[in-house]
Amino acid sequence: MRSIAENIERITASLPREVKLVAVSKQQPVEYIAAAYEWGQRRFGENKAQELAAKYECLPNDIQWHFIGHLQTNKVKYIAPFVSLIHAVDSLKLLQAIDREAGKQGRIIECLLQFHIAEEESKFGLDEREAREILESPLFKAMRHIRIAGVMGMATYTEEREQVKKEFRHLKEIFERLKRNHFAGDPVFREISMGMSGDYELAVEEGSTLVRIGSSLFGERNYKQTIE
Ligand SMILES: *Cc1c(COP(=O)(O)O)cnc(C)c1O
């Protein structure tokens, strides 16, 4: 296996300057995160609230922690004090929970709306009609402690590049429509989070601004090391 430092250098060098790397450190030990940190990486992604809170406690406090997975409303409190971006928001109920917990912390938390773009069945992710309903609801408009910073999506897990590209292109189109119709002139609405180890090159070609890369950076995940 190549070292984490080499992987960061190689992947960062392959990304256009405006595309940011989220190093997905879920199920990886803190030593690996520290190694990436030593090499200048500051943006890390986790998908379990308690695992993230535990890692936050023992790592440098200038790390920007991104929450990238499905977040349950009752887990928001673990990450609200410090999380810098929540990638996968797909309900008004979750936005309300984030708004409430961010308010208790005196913070404003940036969130991305997750869209269902893959052909595969998935419980998670909005369609455009559902997103519009959220954005137009009085409850949403009254929220003071969240900001919608863009969109997030996951493509179908397939070797068919054209399929994957088409799905990423669809997410970019959703982003452009939302920007025009709901966020015109709002500089906070700016991110398109798409692309993982297997498909980030395609995502970048289609306009990704944030790639979420785990196994290509840190190697295969060791499930035994997961903090429950
Ligand atoms: C695990 C995960 C990733 C990273 O996946 P790799 O294939 O290891 O790069 C990216 N995004 C989400 C939402 C994930 O859960």
Side-chain angles (χ1 to χ4, degrees):
M1 195 187 99
R2 278 187 272 209
S3 75
I4 292 169
E6 279 173 325
N7 291 339
I8 290 194
E9 199 152 89
R10 177 174 47 84
I11 292 170
T12 307
S14 77
L15 296 173
R17 205 195 317 252
E18 65 277 11
V19 178
K20 295 168 294 259
L21 169 64
V22 180
V24 175
S25 50
K26 63 186 187 192
Q27 296 158 359
Q28 303 286 3
V30 290
E31 297 76 46
Y32 287 17
I33 303 174
Y37 180 90
E38 288 295 311
W39 213 250
Q41 179 65 26
R42 290 294 179 272
R43 221 176 267 106
F44 292 89
E46 294 277 339
N47 71 343
K48 296 271 190 296
Q50 280 113 315
E51 180 177 346
L52 172 48
K55 286 173 170 173
Y56 166 77
E57 286 299 325
C58 57
L59 284 157
N61 61 15
D62 62 339
I63 289 179
Q64 297 167 35
W65 292 103
H66 289 215
F67 193 85
I68 61 168
H70 179 68
L71 180 57
Q72 291 169 274
T73 52
N74 63 345
K75 302 282 174 72
V76 175
K77 60 178 182 283
Y78 295 115
I79 63 172
F82 63 88
V83 69
S84 86
L85 181 64
I86 299 178
H87 282 235
V89 175
D90 65 356
S91 72
L92 185 61
K93 191 166 131 256
L94 178 55
L95 274 177
Q96 286 177 285
I98 298 169
D99 187 55
R100 192 166 53 240
E101 293 298 328
K104 287 184 197 165
Q105 302 294 329
R107 299 188 67 215
I108 292 173
I109 297 179
E110 293 195 353
C111 301
L112 306 180
L113 293 178
Q114 180 179 9
F115 285 88
H116 180 73
I117 53 168
E119 228 165 46
E120 295 162 336
E121 281 296 315
S122 161
K123 302 196 288 279
F124 306 125
L126 303 163
D127 61 29
E128 285 187 82
R129 184 184 52 78
E130 292 166 328
R132 215 165 33 239
E133 278 171 14
I134 292 175
L135 297 173
E136 289 169 359
S137 81
L139 281 172
F140 172 76
K141 289 181 178 167
M143 292 178 192
R144 293 291 169 264
H145 296 278
I146 54 116
R147 293 273 186 282
I148 304 296
V151 300
M152 178 267 197
M154 291 166 85
T156 304
Y157 188 73
T158 171
E159 295 293 318
E160 288 180 46
R161 294 166 52 95
E162 278 314 310
Q163 172 74 22
V164 172
K165 278 179 75 89
K166 194 178 81 190
E167 292 172 359
F168 285 146
R169 202 170 306 142
H170 182 203
L171 186 60
K172 165 89 178 191
E173 287 162 5
I174 292 172
F175 171 84
E176 296 295 347
R177 270 194 292 275
L178 286 178
K179 187 158 182 64
R180 208 165 44 240
N181 297 332
H182 295 275
F183 297 97
D186 178 356
V188 175
F189 190 82
R190 65 197 185 281
E191 305 289 7
I192 304 175
S193 168
M194 58 186 189
M196 315 183 7
S197 291
D199 58 17
Y200 74 89
E201 281 115 335
L202 300 177
V204 167
E205 286 173 25
E206 297 301 332
S208 174
T209 67
L210 277 174
V211 291
R212 311 176 308 268
I213 300 182
S215 42
S216 291
L217 259 178
F218 294 114
E220 289 306 312
R221 286 178 276 277
N222 182 347
Y223 291 91
K224 283 191 225 79
Q225 277 162 331
T226 305
I227 302 166
E228 292 299 339

